[in-house]
Amino acid sequence: MSTAASLRTRVDASPRTLAIAVGDIALVFLFVGIGELQHGYDLLAQPGRVVGTALPFLIGWAIASVLAGVYAPRIYRSLRSGVVRTALAWIGAVLVGQALRATATFHGDFAVTFMFVSLGVGLVLLVPWRAAIGYLSR
């Protein structure tokens, strides 16, 4: 199977999937925004910081979500599968994001405490969102 054919089985190229992906990305930015506010940063005065903090997690999400199949056509047919795959994808995204933060390319560093906070907050945001999509798709 070619790479393109394999990707087509993992990503449903439809307006619906695009809308869901935009929602996912918005929730990642919400997670980062909440964290930046908690640490006293002004989101409007330092938008580059917000993007810089979000970028490793967005890269992680782009990789892990495709591997987990959260945008696959079949994912919308099963509430349970959507929730489980979303949780697995977020765990992968956080691991990739933390690994990227440990490099000189991104600000921040690998912090075990932040990893657990990232996991928890991201799951609290993404899983109910994806559960609602699964429920409404029935």
Side-chain angles (χ1 to χ4, degrees):
M1 178 182 289
S2 73
T3 303
S6 177
L7 190 57
R8 276 193 297 274
T9 64
R10 293 185 180 271
V11 179
D12 175 33
S14 70
R16 175 185 182 180
T17 299
L18 176 62
I20 292 168
V22 167
D24 294 340
I25 291 166
L27 290 172
V28 172
F29 272 105
L30 177 62
F31 147 66
V32 169
I34 291 168
E36 298 289 41
L37 288 172
Q38 288 290 321
H39 289 284
Y41 294 103
D42 183 340
L43 303 181
L44 297 176
Q46 298 174 296
R49 178 173 174 82
V50 174
V51 172
T53 302
L55 195 55
F57 295 100
L58 292 171
I59 292 168
W61 180 255
I63 295 166
S65 65
V66 171
L67 291 175
V70 300
Y71 299 115
R74 69 186 179 283
I75 199 72
Y76 307 122
R77 294 189 289 264
S78 169
L79 175 76
R80 183 180 183 280
S81 179
V83 166
V84 169
R85 288 175 184 264
T86 298
L88 291 173
W90 183 246
I91 291 166
V94 168
L95 293 174
V96 170
Q98 286 292 331
L100 290 173
R101 286 172 53 90
T103 69
T105 306
F106 298 96
H107 69 263
D109 55 10
F110 184 90
V112 174
T113 304
F114 182 49
M115 182 179 69
F116 287 117
V117 169
S118 301
L119 284 170
V121 173
L123 289 172
V124 164
L125 293 171
L126 287 165
V127 169
W129 156 247
R130 287 309 196 98
I133 291 167
Y135 181 78
L136 294 172
S137 297
R138 294 175 142 193

